Amino acid sequence: MKYFSTRGGEEHLSSAEAIIQGLSSNGGLFVPEEIPTVDPAFVKGLVPLSYEERAVAVLRRFLTDYTEEEIRGCVTRAYGLDKFDTERRAPTRIFDDGSVLELWHGPTSAFKDMALQLLPQLLKTALEKTGEKATVLILVATSGDTGKAALEGFRDVDQTKIMVFYPEGGVSRIQGLQMLTQEGSNVNVTAVRGNFDDAQSGVKRIFGDVAFGEELAAAGVKLSSANSINWGRLVPQIVYYFSAYADLLGAERIAYGDEVNFCVPTGNFGDILAGYYAKCMGLPIGRLICASNRNNVLTEFLHTGTYNRNRAFYKTITPSMDILISSNLERLLYHMSNDAQQVAKWMKELAKTGTYTIDKKLLQKIQQTFWADWADDEATKATIKEAYSFHHYIPDTHTAVAWQVAERYQRETGDQREMVVVSTASPYKFNGSVLSALGVPVDSQDEFALLDRLQELNDDKIPRGLASLREKTVRHRDVCAPDEMKKFVAAFAKQ
Ligand SMILES: *Cc1c(COP(=O)(O)O)cnc(C)c1O
């Protein structure tokens, strides 16, 4: 199966090549030529399998240039029990009135691990398969979660290096400690004197600097990105939709063929798009519900057909969804319209004016599958409190946004099909907001005291990766100004 750009053109690559390259040369995102389909026996056959075997079965359908052995090797290294704290890897918790798919049992306690554990393995195998000899240097600008998950995924992976830039003073104490104590022989973490935008613009400038790229190539280094535009980061996420469905079948909560709805806390549209691929493959999914926070650009788009990023930006208690440009929406537009030229036009408009509008027919088609709403911080906190009172379950803030929107969806539409709320972070990762939602005063306590306080209320233990931070030593102390980032990259690349 070949992959080509959402904006058209002649480039047709194998999945290995697409994963190495990341973005297509005309700026579009790589999509599969056709979406493979599966039959009922395939889905039923997943029920007795481990998460890893489910992953092999689904990934094979897309990564046709990898051998089954190669895929199995990648999956085994990515999802080992040295990294995940539960045998089931991504367990589905079933309550009386719905289910929660927990995607945060990996090393950094956020759902990004599901993809960022596998991407480095797929990339390393791709380098071997294609005979690429350069060392790939991954550059990441992070506002918190992605940086740590990428560091954990790429640490000590041969032929790769990873460098993470974060805004000095701009991440939570836990997030900062997670990154600054990072171990591994191929990692670098550098603070930028500025905000997240300074860090991100700096990284983008470096990617766009052709002369610098040539200088690095001469030293045997190729730059690449770990963000969710890379197909190798999207494809692992398709697996857990199948896995959740198999869990519900196995628990006899549903019978084969029953449609299930998923409600997904959404930022960059990667997670929910993976659900759309699963549906196109034939998994019985009803509606995909897109839950946003106050940065509700996607809610507006899915209601009106106009995407408009020219709006105020709000900081919320769900920072991983504080996003105004959802890159993966471009893939949905391509699959829904089948018109690469039109997609290229919309994206050009977005870059130039910050907005574009799709036609009514296409909007209606999208709305047949997608439903959208958003929740503000207050509603989010109220939902955490309710989940605790009614289910003795503590969702993190992002999960609570989805939980709230899922309830609204059911109230407004009367759709009673099984609802799965996709849970994207451990509550311990956002302990301050979660505790305050539960009515615990948090003002003067340090982060570790908060972890202990939350542990008193929660049935789940503090995740290993967070608990062990207390003993870890800080290994990274570099700080640079935004205009020094290139110099720091050059030094690390040639090290
Ligand atoms: C990244 C992230 C999201 C958003 O996922 P997208 O794929 O960007 O839509 C939601 N919740 C958490 C905790 C995240 O880290």
Side-chain angles (χ1 to χ4, degrees):
M1 182 188 298
K2 295 287 187 188
Y3 289 77
F4 65 95
S5 169
T6 46
R7 300 183 194 175
E10 292 307 306
E11 213 165 28
H12 280 65
L13 305 184
S14 68
S15 70
E17 291 165 337
I19 287 169
I20 294 174
Q21 196 173 312
L23 199 63
S24 98
S25 48
N26 64 15
L29 277 60
F30 286 115
V31 285
E33 266 172 351
E34 62 185 297
I35 300 175
T37 54
V38 297
D39 57 19
F42 175 90
V43 179
K44 289 183 207 162
L46 298 175
V47 174
L49 300 185
S50 66
Y51 187 83
E52 286 151 292
E53 286 303 318
R54 290 172 181 176
V56 173
V58 174
L59 292 168
R60 276 184 61 202
R61 301 297 173 114
F62 285 101
L63 308 177
T64 51
D65 52 321
Y66 287 66
T67 66
E68 184 169 338
E69 265 32 70
E70 285 170 337
I71 294 176
R72 181 163 287 115
C74 289
V75 164
T76 306
R77 290 189 294 276
Y79 297 128
L81 275 181
D82 52 332
K83 294 174 174 152
F84 281 71
D85 66 10
T86 163
E87 192 71 44
R88 292 170 64 202
R89 309 308 198 275
T92 310
R93 288 229 194 169
I94 303 177
F95 297 107
D96 290 345
D97 52 352
S99 308
V100 176
L101 171 59
E102 294 182 348
L103 300 179
W104 40 261
H105 289 277
T108 78
S109 308
F111 104 102
K112 304 257 184 318
D113 288 331
M114 300 308 297
L116 278 168
Q117 280 298 314
L118 191 58
L119 168 67
Q121 305 300 335
L122 295 175
L123 175 61
K124 177 183 157 238
T125 308
L127 294 172
E128 288 161 7
K129 293 171 73 63
T130 58
E132 173 67 61
K133 290 287 178 280
T135 294
V136 173
L137 170 54
I138 305 289
L139 291 188
V140 180
T142 185
S143 55
D145 285 348
T146 304
K148 176 63 183 177
L151 285 163
E152 271 304 316
F154 279 97
R155 74 188 266 189
D156 297 324
V157 173
D158 292 345
Q159 223 184 318
T160 72
K161 285 182 168 186
I162 173 156
M163 187 165 197
V164 171
F165 291 101
Y166 72 96
E168 187 181 30
V171 299
S172 79
R173 170 127 190 271
I174 291 264
Q175 286 175 325
L177 276 175
Q178 276 188 307
M179 291 191 280
L180 296 181
T181 58
Q182 179 66 45
E183 293 156 11
S185 57
N186 62 341
V187 303
N188 177 282
V189 180
T190 299
V192 178
R193 281 189 211 100
N195 58 25
F196 172 65
D197 282 337
D198 296 320
Q200 189 167 48
S201 314
V203 165
K204 281 195 182 148
R205 257 197 318 276
I206 292 168
F207 276 125
D209 188 332
V210 177
F212 186 55
E214 284 166 3
E215 180 190 327
L216 291 180
V221 175
K222 208 172 164 148
L223 292 180
S224 189
S225 147
N227 72 27
S228 63
I229 53 174
N230 193 311
W231 178 252
R233 203 175 137 184
L234 197 88
V235 72
Q237 302 184 335
I238 300 171
V239 175
Y240 51 71
Y241 287 90
F242 279 89
S243 182
Y245 194 90
D247 281 351
L248 293 170
L249 272 182
E252 298 183 1
R253 174 63 165 244
I254 54 170
Y256 183 80
D258 289 350
E259 285 184 334
V260 170
N261 298 324
F262 286 89
C263 185
V264 188
T266 298
N268 215 359
F269 211 76
D271 196 356
I272 194 168
L273 183 74
Y276 175 69
Y277 279 111
K279 181 174 163 72
C280 294
M281 288 173 78
L283 188 70
I285 292 178
R287 299 298 279 286
L288 290 162
I289 296 140
C290 175
S292 299
N293 66 21
R294 196 176 172 198
N295 296 297
N296 53 7
V297 60
L298 283 168
T299 312
E300 185 178 281
F301 172 72
L302 291 167
H303 289 178
T304 67
T306 296
Y307 195 97
N308 185 359
R309 61 156 303 195
N310 304 316
R311 56 174 70 226
F313 175 81
Y314 299 105
K315 278 188 155 238
T316 70
I317 58 171
T318 45
S320 303
M321 294 153 69
D322 289 343
I323 281 180
L324 292 182
I325 297 200
S326 293
S327 333
N328 270 299
L329 191 59
E330 179 169 348
R331 284 193 167 106
L332 180 73
L333 292 175
Y334 173 75
H335 289 300
M336 286 274 181
S337 69
N338 238 317
D339 187 346
Q341 264 187 328
Q342 183 61 64
V343 172
K345 264 193 217 148
W346 287 323
M347 293 304 124
K348 214 163 134 192
E349 269 180 63
L350 179 66
K352 215 167 97 191
T353 67
T355 177
Y356 62 89
T357 301
I358 61 171
D359 59 87
K360 216 168 168 159
K361 228 172 114 202
L362 181 61
L363 176 64
Q364 281 167 354
K365 188 173 169 198
I366 293 175
Q367 286 172 338
Q368 280 167 17
T369 296
F370 290 86
W371 196 89
D373 204 352
W374 64 283
D376 63 14
D377 284 354
E378 215 169 302
T380 304
K381 286 187 171 183
T383 305
I384 294 173
K385 198 159 184 215
E386 273 167 37
Y388 186 59
S389 320
F390 293 118
H391 299 288
H392 202 72
Y393 183 83
I394 306 181
D396 100 287
T397 48
H398 303 76
T399 308
V401 166
W403 196 307
Q404 165 70 219
V405 168
E407 283 178 350
R408 253 186 255 168
Y409 169 78
Q410 289 176 318
R411 257 200 323 270
E412 284 181 27
T413 64
D415 183 347
Q416 287 306 314
R417 289 175 287 190
E418 178 73 14
M419 174 69 78
V420 179
V421 169
V422 176
S423 176
T424 48
S426 157
Y428 289 106
K429 204 147 184 194
F430 299 94
N431 50 28
S433 304
V434 168
L435 278 168
S436 98
L438 295 172
V440 178
V442 292
D443 294 348
S444 62
Q445 300 188 51
D446 76 75
E447 290 274 6
F448 291 114
L450 294 182
L451 286 178
D452 291 335
R453 188 71 188 87
L454 188 53
Q455 161 87 85
E456 289 165 24
L457 302 173
N458 199 6
D459 293 339
D460 286 327
K461 285 227 244 334
I462 303 172
R464 248 181 341 213
L466 299 182
S468 67
L469 284 178
R470 289 176 219 246
E471 285 89 49
K472 292 242 161 107
T473 40
V474 169
R475 299 163 162 264
H476 305 278
R477 298 182 188 281
D478 289 347
V479 183
C480 73
D483 61 6
E484 292 174 312
M485 287 170 65
K486 188 163 124 183
K487 200 175 80 193
F488 276 64
V489 172
F492 181 58
K494 292 170 189 169
Q495 188 174 295

